[in-house]
Amino acid sequence: DVKVTQSSRYLVKRTGEKVFLECVQDMDHENMFWYRQDPGLGLRLIYFSYDVKMKEKGDIPEGYSVSREKKERFSLILESASTNQTSMYLCASSLGLAGVSYEQYFGPGTRLTVT
Amino acid sequence: SQQGEEDPQALSIQEGENATMNCSYKTSINNLQWYRQNSGRGLVHLILIRSNEREKHSGRLRVTLDTSKKSSSLLITASRAADTASYFCATDGRNTGGFKTIFGAGTRLFVKA
């Protein structure tokens, strides 16, 4: 079974703090994704990575950065957390082949509250 | 940009009934996927249908795709209380290099025992 794990299920941070969300997958997938999920808005893509050290902006990258130093690990960084970044954050991974979409495997999510 | 939009937003049925959810999208796609999310958890992949396919089955799930109408439907037959969840369709546009999958806002299904 593919397993995608996220470092925390719940996180509470203060405004202005630097926040790291970690995601690890164990299936040697090329692609990894970070989404945020807000009520009524579905999932919105923040960043994705199709290879080590490669990253692409998604639809809402502002206020976020990412790091992928190893194939199995994809980190989301909030440089200076703000209250409007309170959300559920979901990490996912998939096989990767240019021009082909595969099913994504999701982690359990991190519910981040910024106060 | 929201590619897939599910309809209805919420659906409440009795156990044993069938549940139908629809998804409409705007641009050409390579494939369309359906996912389920139980409350407060990650998404679980249900089924993927490619643009050259019209219908696909998996257990109690039946998915159809009409590319001329840019729409898809997910049918769950003989629903169970355990089917209570949110269901999302997800599409990838032909112009996204296959990397970007765009999710709709979801349909919340409640199955009453």
Side-chain angles (χ1 to χ4, degrees), chain B residues 20-82:
Chain B
T20 300
M21 288 159 269
N22 302 297
C23 171
S24 59
Y25 57 92
K26 297 182 176 69
T27 62
S28 296
I29 58 171
N30 291 311
N31 62 58
L32 185 144
Q33 303 179 53
W34 285 92
Y35 289 81
R36 184 189 75 228
Q37 184 181 36
N38 291 91
S39 182
R41 311 291 294 187
L43 278 71
V44 174
H45 183 264
L46 295 176
I47 202 162
L48 181 153
I49 186 166
R50 301 211 180 271
S51 59
N52 61 354
E53 297 176 306
R54 291 295 165 259
E55 188 170 313
K56 210 161 182 181
H57 296 254
S58 176
R60 293 183 297 113
L61 306 180
R62 173 175 166 253
V63 169
T64 60
L65 179 64
D66 186 336
T67 53
S68 66
K69 294 181 180 177
K70 293 187 170 56
S71 68
S72 173
S73 67
L74 170 68
L75 168 68
I76 304 174
T77 59
S79 63
R80 305 167 182 167

Side-chain angles (χ1 to χ4, degrees), chain B residues 91-104:
Chain B
T91 56
D92 71 323
R94 289 181 188 267
N95 60 349
T96 64
F99 294 125
K100 283 181 66 173
T101 300
I102 302 170
F103 289 80

